[in-house]
Amino acid sequence: MEWLNRLLFSGPLLLFVGAFLLLPSLQLGYLALSDGHGGLTVRYLEALGQPQYRVAFQNSILLSGTTAVLGGILGTMLAFLTSAGRGWLAEAVTAFNGVAANFAGVPLAFAFIATLGTTGLLTQFLRQALGLDLYGLGFSLFSYWGLVVVYLYFQIPLMFLVMAPVVSGLRREWREAAYGLGATPFQYWTRVVFPLILPATLAGTILLFGNAFSAYATPYALTSGVLPLVPLQIGSALQGNVSADPQQGAALALGMVALMLASLGLYLALARRYSRWRNQ
């Protein structure tokens, strides 16, 4: 009867995964290989090597990698700074990060346009009060680096939420033991803390990469498709400016799924390694 109990316990989850993950993925793969007339073809997958799609993947990987690394570093630093403090300020920072990590899409784009747009509040304040013209210096919210700034708004809080439990898991006894054995603060951080948090930090950075790579509404609202990105190319292929091309959109999505699965595999491997030392 044990197998029946396991089936009753895991059955609903397996049905959910099958209905909303496996079946759509299989349908996506079939659509990417379909010629639209009942036959199979690989020309849509081969078309991913065309310049416009290659540039879209390059831009998405570069944007996701940049925001993942910057968000990982800043989010980890914020987690350490918050863990060192106590009281209402630390609680307020934690609560804000919990909200900001889930604030994205068109509302986030509108908030930044109202703040850092060409006529945004902060833009106007810097121009009138300090004589600093951001757009005259070359900055634009609607460019690559503008997207980096916007993405960091939710990337840093997400990394904070990932690293906060890791930082809190660092035991005081480890520091006392290191200092008792004659270690300097630099040696404690480089030989004890850094090796311990490295797997979790890398896992969180990979998670940020996948989070940024799949963003659609925010870059669409800010750039209107001017900056080629894979999610925007998929949307364009499915909607079609002149005519829709669902097979090409499915092929792009299949490439995106492959990258996400690779990122997820690395994340799970690193998270498993972190869990081993945390339980010791």
Side-chain angles (χ1 to χ4, degrees):
M1 294 298 293
E2 184 178 354
W3 66 270
L4 181 59
N5 292 331
R6 292 181 178 179
L7 181 61
L8 291 175
F9 179 78
S10 60
L13 176 61
L14 295 177
L15 288 175
F16 179 84
V17 171
F20 293 97
L21 290 179
L22 295 181
L23 288 180
S25 298
L26 292 175
Q27 184 181 10
L28 186 67
Y30 173 77
L31 186 60
L33 296 172
S34 175
D35 61 1
H37 303 285
L40 297 178
T41 180
V42 294
R43 66 186 181 94
Y44 294 107
L45 295 177
E46 293 176 346
L48 297 181
Q50 295 179 1
Q52 66 271 27
Y53 301 131
R54 188 170 64 249
V55 169
F57 273 99
Q58 290 173 352
N59 288 339
S60 293
I61 292 173
L62 183 60
L63 177 62
S64 302
T66 301
T67 59
V69 172
L70 292 177
I73 295 173
L74 296 176
T76 302
M77 292 174 59
L78 183 61
F80 273 102
L81 290 174
T82 305
S83 67
R86 294 291 185 270
W88 65 270
L89 183 58
E91 295 177 357
V93 171
T94 302
F96 171 79
N97 282 284
V99 175
N102 297 284
F103 185 50
V106 176
L108 177 62
F110 173 77
F112 268 89
I113 291 173
T115 305
L116 278 175
T118 54
T119 58
L121 293 176
L122 183 57
T123 305
Q124 294 285 10
F125 172 78
L126 292 176
R127 183 183 296 120
Q128 296 174 6
L130 303 178
L132 180 62
D133 187 1
L134 293 178
Y135 286 79
L137 295 174
F139 172 81
S140 175
L141 183 64
F142 314 103
S143 64
Y144 171 83
W145 288 107
L147 282 180
V148 170
V149 172
V150 176
Y151 276 39
L152 287 178
Y153 184 85
F154 57 81
Q155 293 281 70
I156 294 174
L158 180 58
M159 189 65 177
F160 171 85
L161 296 179
V162 171
M163 292 302 298
V166 178
V167 174
S168 64
L170 296 174
R171 301 174 185 174
R172 181 178 300 177
E173 293 85 353
W174 297 340
R175 180 176 59 186
E176 294 174 350
Y179 289 163
L181 293 173
T184 64
F186 178 78
Q187 290 174 326
Y188 166 70
W189 281 94
T190 55
R191 297 186 182 183
V192 179
V193 176
F194 183 72
L196 288 175
I197 69 170
L198 182 60
T201 305
L202 293 177
T205 302
I206 294 171
L207 180 64
L208 296 187
F209 178 87
N211 186 50
F213 198 96
S214 60
Y216 172 77
T218 300
Y220 180 81
L222 284 174
T223 66
S224 299
V226 175
L227 182 66
L229 297 173
V230 175
L232 302 184
Q233 292 280 9
I234 295 173
S236 178
L238 295 179
Q239 297 173 2
N241 295 327
V242 178
S243 60
D245 192 1
Q247 285 88 357
Q248 192 59 64
L252 286 166
L254 200 60
M256 183 174 174
V257 168
L259 283 173
M260 292 299 99
L261 288 177
S263 300
L264 180 62
L266 287 173
Y267 172 78
L268 292 176
L270 292 169
R272 190 179 301 113
R273 182 176 177 180
Y274 158 71
S275 64
R276 285 203 298 266
W277 75 259
R278 181 176 173 85
N279 295 327
Q280 292 176 355

Coordinates of all heavy atoms in Angstrom, one line a residue, residues 76 79-80 159-171 174 192-206 265-280:
T76 N 24.0 40.3 -2.8 CA 24.8 39.6 -1.7 C 25.3 40.6 -0.7 O 25.3 40.4 0.5 CB 25.9 38.8 -2.3 OG1 25.4 37.9 -3.3 CG2 26.7 38.1 -1.2
A79 N 22.6 41.7 1.5 CA 22.2 40.7 2.5 C 23.1 40.7 3.7 O 22.7 40.6 4.8 CB 22.2 39.3 1.8
F80 N 24.4 40.9 3.4 CA 25.4 41.0 4.5 C 25.2 42.2 5.4 O 25.3 42.2 6.6 CB 26.8 40.9 4.0 CG 27.4 39.6 3.8 CD1 27.4 39.0 2.5 CD2 27.8 38.8 4.8 CE1 27.9 37.7 2.3 CE2 28.3 37.5 4.7 CZ 28.4 37.0 3.4
M159 N 18.0 38.6 -5.5 CA 19.3 38.0 -5.0 C 19.3 38.1 -3.5 O 19.8 37.2 -2.8 CB 20.5 38.7 -5.7 CG 21.8 38.0 -5.3 SD 21.9 36.3 -6.0 CE 23.6 35.8 -5.6
F160 N 18.9 39.2 -3.0 CA 18.8 39.4 -1.5 C 18.0 38.3 -0.9 O 18.4 37.8 0.2 CB 18.2 40.8 -1.2 CG 17.9 41.0 0.3 CD1 18.9 41.4 1.1 CD2 16.7 40.8 0.8 CE1 18.7 41.6 2.5 CE2 16.4 40.9 2.1 CZ 17.4 41.4 3.0
L161 N 16.8 38.0 -1.4 CA 16.0 37.0 -0.9 C 16.6 35.6 -0.9 O 16.4 34.8 -0.1 CB 14.6 37.0 -1.6 CG 13.8 38.2 -1.5 CD1 12.5 38.1 -2.3 CD2 13.4 38.5 0.0
V162 N 17.4 35.4 -2.0 CA 18.1 34.1 -2.1 C 19.3 34.0 -1.1 O 19.5 33.0 -0.5 CB 18.7 33.9 -3.5 CG1 19.6 32.7 -3.6 CG2 17.5 33.8 -4.5
M163 N 20.0 35.1 -0.9 CA 21.2 35.1 -0.1 C 20.9 35.4 1.4 O 21.8 35.0 2.3 CB 22.2 36.1 -0.6 CG 22.8 35.8 -1.9 SD 23.6 34.2 -2.0 CE 24.9 34.4 -0.8
A164 N 19.8 36.0 1.8 CA 19.5 36.3 3.2 C 19.6 35.0 4.1 O 20.2 35.0 5.1 CB 18.2 37.0 3.3
P165 N 18.9 33.9 3.7 CA 19.0 32.7 4.5 C 20.5 32.1 4.5 O 20.9 31.5 5.5 CB 18.1 31.7 3.8 CG 17.2 32.5 3.0 CD 18.0 33.7 2.6
V166 N 21.2 32.3 3.4 CA 22.6 31.8 3.4 C 23.5 32.6 4.4 O 24.2 32.0 5.1 CB 23.2 31.9 2.0 CG1 24.6 31.5 1.9 CG2 22.3 31.1 1.0
V167 N 23.3 33.9 4.4 CA 24.1 34.7 5.3 C 23.8 34.4 6.7 O 24.6 34.3 7.6 CB 23.9 36.2 5.0 CG1 24.6 37.1 6.0 CG2 24.4 36.5 3.6
S168 N 22.5 34.2 7.0 CA 22.0 33.9 8.4 C 22.5 32.5 8.8 O 22.6 32.3 10.0 CB 20.5 34.0 8.5 OG 19.9 33.0 7.7
G169 N 22.8 31.7 7.8 CA 23.3 30.3 8.2 C 24.8 30.3 8.6 O 25.3 29.2 9.0
L170 N 25.5 31.4 8.4 CA 26.9 31.4 8.8 C 27.0 31.5 10.3 O 26.5 32.5 10.9 CB 27.6 32.7 8.2 CG 27.7 32.7 6.6 CD1 28.3 34.0 6.2 CD2 28.6 31.5 6.1
R171 N 27.6 30.5 10.9 CA 27.6 30.4 12.4 C 28.7 31.3 13.0 O 29.8 31.4 12.5 CB 27.7 28.9 12.8 CG 26.6 28.0 12.2 CD 26.9 26.6 12.5 NE 25.9 25.7 11.9 CZ 26.0 24.4 11.9 NH1 27.0 23.8 12.6 NH2 25.0 23.7 11.3
W174 N 32.1 29.6 13.7 CA 33.1 29.5 12.7 C 34.1 30.7 12.8 O 35.3 30.5 12.6 CB 32.5 29.4 11.3 CG 31.6 28.1 11.2 CD1 31.7 27.0 11.9 CD2 30.6 28.0 10.2 NE1 30.7 26.1 11.4 CE2 30.1 26.7 10.4 CE3 30.1 28.7 9.2 CZ2 29.0 26.1 9.6 CZ3 29.0 28.2 8.4 CH2 28.5 26.9 8.6
V192 N 37.1 31.1 4.6 CA 35.9 30.5 5.3 C 34.6 30.9 4.7 O 33.9 30.1 4.2 CB 36.0 30.8 6.8 CG1 34.8 30.1 7.5 CG2 37.2 30.3 7.5
V193 N 34.4 32.2 4.7 CA 33.1 32.7 4.3 C 32.9 32.5 2.8 O 31.9 32.0 2.3 CB 32.9 34.2 4.7 CG1 31.6 34.8 4.1 CG2 32.9 34.3 6.2
F194 N 33.9 33.0 2.0 CA 33.7 33.0 0.6 C 33.5 31.6 0.0 O 32.6 31.3 -0.8 CB 34.9 33.7 -0.1 CG 34.8 33.7 -1.6 CD1 33.9 34.6 -2.2 CD2 35.6 32.9 -2.4 CE1 33.8 34.7 -3.6 CE2 35.5 33.0 -3.8 CZ 34.6 33.9 -4.4
P195 N 34.4 30.6 0.4 CA 34.1 29.2 -0.1 C 32.8 28.7 0.3 O 32.2 27.9 -0.4 CB 35.2 28.4 0.5 CG 36.3 29.4 0.8 CD 35.6 30.6 1.2
L196 N 32.2 29.0 1.5 CA 31.0 28.5 1.9 C 29.8 29.1 1.2 O 28.8 28.4 0.8 CB 30.8 28.8 3.4 CG 31.7 28.0 4.4 CD1 31.5 28.5 5.8 CD2 31.3 26.5 4.3
I197 N 29.8 30.4 0.9 CA 28.7 31.0 0.2 C 28.8 31.0 -1.3 O 27.9 31.3 -2.0 CB 28.6 32.5 0.6 CG1 29.7 33.4 0.1 CG2 28.4 32.6 2.1 CD1 29.5 34.8 0.2
L198 N 30.0 30.5 -1.9 CA 30.2 30.5 -3.3 C 29.1 29.7 -4.1 O 28.6 30.2 -5.1 CB 31.6 30.1 -3.6 CG 32.0 30.1 -5.1 CD1 31.8 31.5 -5.7 CD2 33.4 29.5 -5.4
P199 N 28.8 28.4 -3.7 CA 27.8 27.7 -4.4 C 26.5 28.4 -4.4 O 25.8 28.4 -5.5 CB 27.8 26.3 -3.6 CG 29.1 26.2 -3.0 CD 29.5 27.6 -2.6
A200 N 26.0 28.9 -3.3 CA 24.7 29.6 -3.2 C 24.8 30.9 -4.0 O 23.8 31.2 -4.7 CB 24.4 29.9 -1.8
T201 N 25.9 31.6 -4.0 CA 26.0 32.8 -4.8 C 25.9 32.5 -6.3 O 25.2 33.2 -7.0 CB 27.3 33.5 -4.5 OG1 27.4 33.8 -3.0 CG2 27.4 34.9 -5.2
L202 N 26.6 31.5 -6.7 CA 26.6 31.1 -8.1 C 25.2 30.7 -8.5 O 24.7 31.0 -9.6 CB 27.6 30.1 -8.4 CG 29.1 30.5 -8.3 CD1 30.0 29.3 -8.6 CD2 29.4 31.6 -9.3
A203 N 24.6 29.9 -7.6 CA 23.2 29.4 -7.9 C 22.2 30.6 -8.0 O 21.4 30.6 -8.9 CB 22.8 28.4 -6.8
G204 N 22.3 31.5 -7.1 CA 21.5 32.7 -7.2 C 21.7 33.5 -8.5 O 20.8 34.0 -9.1
T205 N 23.0 33.6 -8.9 CA 23.3 34.4 -10.1 C 22.7 33.7 -11.3 O 22.2 34.4 -12.2 CB 24.8 34.5 -10.3 OG1 25.4 35.1 -9.1 CG2 25.2 35.3 -11.5
I206 N 22.7 32.4 -11.4 CA 22.1 31.6 -12.5 C 20.6 31.9 -12.5 O 20.0 32.0 -13.5 CB 22.5 30.2 -12.4 CG1 24.0 30.0 -12.6 CG2 21.7 29.3 -13.4 CD1 24.5 28.6 -12.3
G265 N 19.5 23.4 -14.5 CA 20.3 22.3 -14.1 C 21.5 22.7 -13.3 O 21.9 22.1 -12.3
L266 N 22.2 23.8 -13.7 CA 23.3 24.3 -13.0 C 22.8 24.9 -11.6 O 23.5 24.7 -10.6 CB 24.0 25.5 -13.8 CG 24.8 25.1 -15.0 CD1 25.2 26.3 -15.8 CD2 26.0 24.3 -14.6
Y267 N 21.7 25.5 -11.6 CA 21.2 26.0 -10.3 C 20.9 24.9 -9.3 O 21.3 25.0 -8.2 CB 19.9 26.8 -10.6 CG 19.2 27.2 -9.3 CD1 19.6 28.3 -8.6 CD2 18.0 26.5 -8.9 CE1 19.0 28.7 -7.4 CE2 17.4 26.9 -7.7 CZ 17.8 28.0 -7.0 OH 17.2 28.3 -5.8
L268 N 20.3 23.8 -9.8 CA 19.9 22.7 -8.9 C 21.2 22.0 -8.4 O 21.3 21.7 -7.2 CB 19.1 21.7 -9.6 CG 17.6 22.2 -10.0 CD1 16.9 21.1 -10.8 CD2 16.9 22.5 -8.7
A269 N 22.2 21.9 -9.3 CA 23.5 21.3 -8.8 C 24.2 22.1 -7.8 O 24.7 21.6 -6.8 CB 24.4 21.1 -10.0
L270 N 24.2 23.4 -8.0 CA 24.9 24.3 -7.0 C 24.1 24.4 -5.7 O 24.7 24.4 -4.6 CB 25.1 25.7 -7.6 CG 26.1 25.7 -8.8 CD1 26.1 27.1 -9.5 CD2 27.5 25.4 -8.2
A271 N 22.8 24.4 -5.8 CA 21.9 24.5 -4.6 C 22.0 23.2 -3.8 O 22.0 23.3 -2.6 CB 20.5 24.7 -5.0
R272 N 22.2 22.1 -4.5 CA 22.4 20.8 -3.7 C 23.7 20.8 -3.0 O 23.8 20.3 -1.9 CB 22.3 19.7 -4.7 CG 22.2 18.3 -4.0 CD 22.1 17.2 -5.1 NE 21.0 17.3 -5.9 CZ 21.0 17.6 -7.2 NH1 22.2 17.7 -7.8 NH2 19.9 17.7 -7.9
R273 N 24.7 21.4 -3.6 CA 26.0 21.4 -3.0 C 26.0 22.4 -1.7 O 26.5 22.0 -0.7 CB 27.1 21.9 -3.9 CG 28.5 22.0 -3.3 CD 29.5 22.4 -4.4 NE 30.8 22.5 -3.7 CZ 31.9 22.9 -4.4 NH1 31.9 23.2 -5.7 NH2 33.1 23.0 -3.8
Y274 N 25.2 23.5 -1.9 CA 25.1 24.4 -0.7 C 24.4 23.7 0.4 O 24.7 23.9 1.6 CB 24.4 25.7 -1.1 CG 23.8 26.4 0.0 CD1 24.6 27.1 0.9 CD2 22.4 26.4 0.2 CE1 24.0 27.7 2.0 CE2 21.8 27.1 1.2 CZ 22.6 27.8 2.1 OH 22.0 28.4 3.2
S275 N 23.3 23.0 0.1 CA 22.5 22.3 1.2 C 23.3 21.3 2.0 O 23.0 21.1 3.1 CB 21.3 21.7 0.5 OG 21.6 20.6 -0.3
R276 N 24.4 20.7 1.4 CA 25.1 19.7 2.1 C 25.9 20.4 3.2 O 25.9 19.8 4.4 CB 26.1 19.0 1.1 CG 25.4 18.0 0.2 CD 26.5 17.0 -0.3 NE 27.5 17.6 -1.1 CZ 27.5 17.7 -2.4 NH1 26.5 17.3 -3.1 NH2 28.5 18.3 -3.0
W277 N 26.6 21.5 3.0 CA 27.3 22.1 4.1 C 26.4 22.8 5.1 O 26.8 22.9 6.3 CB 28.4 23.0 3.6 CG 28.0 24.4 3.1 CD1 27.9 24.7 1.8 CD2 27.6 25.5 3.8 NE1 27.4 26.0 1.7 CE2 27.3 26.5 2.9 CE3 27.5 25.8 5.2 CZ2 26.9 27.8 3.3 CZ3 27.1 27.1 5.6 CH2 26.8 28.0 4.7
R278 N 25.3 23.2 4.6 CA 24.3 23.9 5.6 C 23.8 22.9 6.6 O 23.5 23.3 7.8 CB 23.2 24.6 4.8 CG 22.2 25.3 5.7 CD 21.1 26.0 4.9 NE 20.1 26.5 5.7 CZ 20.2 27.7 6.3 NH1 21.2 28.5 6.1 NH2 19.2 28.2 7.1
N279 N 23.6 21.7 6.2 CA 23.1 20.7 7.1 C 24.2 20.0 8.0 O 23.9 19.2 8.8 CB 22.4 19.6 6.3 CG 21.1 20.1 5.6 OD1 20.5 21.1 6.1 ND2 20.8 19.6 4.4
Q280 N 25.4 20.4 7.7 CA 26.5 19.8 8.6 C 26.6 20.4 10.0 O 26.2 21.5 10.2 CB 27.9 20.0 7.8 CG 28.0 19.2 6.6 CD 29.3 19.4 5.8 OE1 30.1 20.3 6.2 NE2 29.5 18.7 4.8

